[in-house]
Amino acid sequence: MDPKLQIALESQNPWWFSKQYDAGIHRLSQFPKILSYLDTEEILLLTGARRTGKSTLVYQIIEFLLKRGVPMEEILYINLDEPLFISMADDPALISGLVEEYLVSHGNPERLYLCIDEVQNYHYWPYAIKTLYDTKRGVKCILTGSTSSTLQKDISARLSGRYFSCAIYPLSFPEFLQFRGNSELPLIEMRQYFSSYLKYGGYPRVVLEENCDLKLQILKNYYETIYLKDIILPNRLRNNSDVVNLLYYLISNVGNLYSYNNIADALHIAVNTVREYIEYAEDAYLLYTLMKFDYSVKKQIANPKKIYALDTGLVNAVSFAFSENRGKLLENLVFLTLKRNYSEVFYHKEKYECDFVIKEGLAIIKAFQVTQSLKNPETKKREVRGLNEAMGAYGLEEGIIITEEESDTLVIDGKTIHIMPACDWLMTMGEHQNEFPEHSEVV
């Protein structure tokens, strides 16, 4: 093997030499599906934005395998963010050559766990992985990637029926408390922690940082890295200012209705360019689009949409004043939590509006309204009215209004509305989070 490649691999695989390595705070238990997939033949693909913890989870998978008794030489980790490997991204024989040389030099073991980080950096990855899958049955591929469209397009074309996928998000609120070392807290303290979680989000590195100014700086750096490495560079965009202005506009308007035409008019950008850039931001997992529910898919696509961001900390660091927009950040946080737990999330709007409805199969099964507070009578009237309309439209007997601190139960027109503090609701959702029904799929 080329000495440079050998040195790079040795530095990335410290367990070969019984050296210590940092596997981070244990999070793998939140993803039992991952563990169940380790003994299958299918490729395991972990997707999500940069810095959400995919690489750390791979280290934890490796730690799990070593503790289970897998010999250290049967684990090969390759981080394709390494400059040397990036410089070889156009070499069609890079991965197959590395694996073949490694297997031969270690006596062709029957099993090899091949872990490849940021796999989208290698231009020939779907061809290489398919070849390994088809010809090296003992090689179990565990991949991570940060660009949705690139991964999905390539994997659908070349690896259909051969992989499981799992989406990795920033920390949930229960995970946040675990990282802070305070899983069980009195209500008052939990609400204080929740305020910090709402303000700075759930990126693991940010959660562990004590200095608030550094938290914001780290978040700004993450944001710049995402739009540079996962939006501008891979899509070869020349007019960077249009991209930056559009992203800032969208991230400053989370939870608001938008149309491509309205944004184009506001920013003086072509409609097709707006659509294209939003798709790039979604591919990078930076932004998510929420559609209005309609039984007609054509109408869903035609109706105005809402935009939400990957992390409330990013929104706070990049755009507006936190204290003035807690309500929108709370709504964004609820959306992210629903996105983790349900495969189909929409908003409802007829005469009135309901923030979120959940579709399962052919039916809407849940409805949620989000507001910072119901103390204002007009706000309470508006929120109850929108939720009640959605419950009536879909035959629901119960609905939930999520607030920052208030709790109550209302019965209106024979329907029950539960008013819940956000931190309580988030803890309840955390009990079901590790099921990940929609993000663990075989395709």
Side-chain angles (χ1 to χ4, degrees):
M1 184 179 293
D2 185 298
K4 291 181 180 179
L5 292 175
Q6 182 69 31
I7 291 170
L9 290 179
E10 288 179 357
S11 68
Q12 292 183 0
N13 292 264
W15 41 87
W16 292 349
F17 310 99
S18 301
K19 292 182 179 180
Q20 295 294 317
Y21 60 96
D22 184 10
I25 295 175
H26 188 67
R27 195 183 177 196
L28 193 56
S29 61
Q30 296 293 320
F31 303 90
K33 291 287 186 181
I34 290 178
L35 297 179
S36 70
Y37 295 152
L38 292 181
D39 295 321
T40 68
E41 293 183 356
E42 284 80 10
I43 298 154
L44 173 58
L45 175 63
L46 307 183
T47 63
R50 291 177 184 271
R51 314 304 297 176
T52 53
K54 301 186 300 298
S55 299
T56 300
L57 278 171
V58 173
Y59 272 103
Q60 291 177 11
I61 289 171
I62 291 169
E63 184 178 58
F64 172 82
L65 292 172
L66 291 172
K67 288 181 177 178
R68 198 171 70 171
V70 174
M72 60 185 68
E73 63 271 11
E74 293 183 10
I75 299 171
L76 172 60
Y77 173 82
I78 305 173
N79 186 346
L80 293 180
D81 252 353
E82 164 78 36
L84 176 62
F85 294 130
I86 290 176
S87 72
M88 304 174 71
D90 290 320
D91 179 359
L94 174 62
I95 296 299
S96 57
L98 282 176
V99 173
E100 189 63 42
E101 285 192 59
Y102 185 84
L103 289 173
V104 170
S105 65
H106 288 81
N108 288 305
E110 293 184 3
R111 191 65 161 166
L112 176 67
Y113 291 91
L114 175 63
C115 306
I116 304 180
D117 225 344
E118 300 297 350
V119 71
Q120 79 281 347
N121 288 344
Y122 178 50
H123 299 163
Y124 295 93
W125 77 268
Y127 304 93
I129 299 303
K130 182 179 184 299
T131 300
L132 288 173
Y133 182 90
D134 291 340
T135 63
K136 305 288 185 183
R137 304 304 288 181
V139 176
K140 171 69 175 184
C141 295
I142 301 168
L143 317 175
T144 79
S146 300
T147 311
S148 173
S149 66
T150 301
L151 292 170
Q152 293 303 325
K153 179 179 67 176
D154 290 340
I155 208 164
S156 296
R158 298 290 169 183
L159 300 173
S160 180
R162 298 175 174 86
Y163 76 100
F164 292 106
S165 68
C166 188
I168 310 302
Y169 293 91
L171 303 180
S172 66
F173 186 53
E175 287 181 303
F176 168 87
L177 294 176
Q178 176 193 349
F179 269 54
R180 298 299 300 173
N182 294 281
S183 298
E184 297 182 8
L185 291 169
L187 180 59
I188 293 177
E189 290 186 48
M190 183 176 290
R191 286 179 178 171
Q192 290 173 343
Y193 274 93
F194 170 76
S195 183
S196 175
Y197 178 62
L198 184 66
K199 184 172 184 178
Y200 298 110
Y203 272 104
R205 168 72 178 88
V206 176
V207 170
L208 294 173
E209 176 57 55
E210 298 293 341
N211 185 297
C212 293
D213 290 336
L214 280 179
K215 285 178 183 284
L216 292 175
Q217 188 57 55
I218 293 167
L219 287 163
K220 290 176 182 177
N221 290 344
Y222 286 177
Y223 176 72
E224 291 171 2
T225 300
I226 291 172
Y227 79 65
L228 282 173
K229 288 192 173 183
D230 295 329
I231 298 177
I232 291 176
L233 293 179
N235 296 296
R236 300 177 181 178
L237 303 181
R238 295 181 179 179
N239 196 337
N240 294 358
S241 62
D242 280 352
V243 182
V244 173
N245 290 340
L246 176 63
L247 293 178
Y248 181 81
Y249 178 89
L250 292 171
I251 210 168
S252 299
N253 285 278
V254 293
N256 293 335
L257 293 171
Y258 79 90
S259 70
Y260 298 128
N261 288 328
N262 290 342
I263 296 175
D265 290 342
L267 300 179
H268 307 292
I269 303 174
V271 172
N272 287 341
T273 301
V274 170
R275 181 184 292 108
E276 182 180 308
Y277 288 177
I278 290 176
E279 288 176 358
Y280 293 155
E282 290 180 305
D283 290 341
Y285 303 98
L286 176 62
L287 299 174
Y288 296 89
T289 292
L290 182 70
M291 294 195 291
K292 176 182 178 291
F293 176 75
D294 197 289
Y295 289 103
S296 165
V297 176
K298 185 180 292 186
K299 289 182 179 179
Q300 283 183 12
I301 295 171
N303 279 312
K305 301 169 179 61
K306 289 185 176 183
I307 206 81
Y308 293 98
L310 166 72
D311 181 75
T312 55
L314 281 180
V315 178
N316 182 48
V318 171
S319 60
F320 44 56
F322 172 68
S323 60
E324 298 172 5
N325 292 276
R326 292 178 73 100
K328 283 300 181 184
L329 287 174
L330 180 60
E331 183 180 329
N332 199 120
L333 179 56
V334 170
F335 167 78
L336 291 171
T337 305
L338 293 174
K339 182 74 175 172
R340 293 170 187 268
N341 288 275
Y342 299 103
S343 59
E344 297 187 89
V345 185
F346 300 87
Y347 76 90
H348 162 88
K349 188 173 178 60
E350 291 180 1
K351 186 176 180 181
Y352 307 111
E353 184 176 324
C354 179
D355 292 323
F356 305 112
V357 293
I358 306 301
K359 181 173 176 281
E360 190 173 277
L362 299 177
I364 296 295
I365 61 167
K366 295 178 184 291
F368 300 88
Q369 198 74 295
V370 185
T371 184
Q372 184 180 352
S373 173
L374 293 171
K375 292 177 181 177
N376 184 305
E378 286 301 314
T379 300
K380 184 173 183 178
K381 180 181 177 181
R382 182 186 68 241
E383 302 298 335
V384 169
R385 189 171 55 192
L387 181 60
N388 193 46
E389 180 185 87
M391 292 164 65
Y394 308 115
L396 304 177
E397 297 298 321
E398 294 184 304
I400 296 177
I401 297 178
I402 300 166
T403 69
E404 192 157 352
E405 295 185 352
E406 295 151 50
S407 61
D408 200 358
T409 300
L410 307 176
V411 178
I412 299 175
D413 298 333
K415 305 181 189 70
T416 302
I417 294 176
H418 303 282
I419 301 170
M420 296 183 66
C423 58
D424 292 359
W425 179 76
L426 290 169
M427 294 301 292
T428 300
M429 292 299 289
E431 295 172 1
H432 307 288
Q433 178 190 333
N434 59 12
E435 298 171 9
F436 278 85
E438 82 286 13
H439 299 303
S440 301
E441 55 182 332
V442 98
V443 183

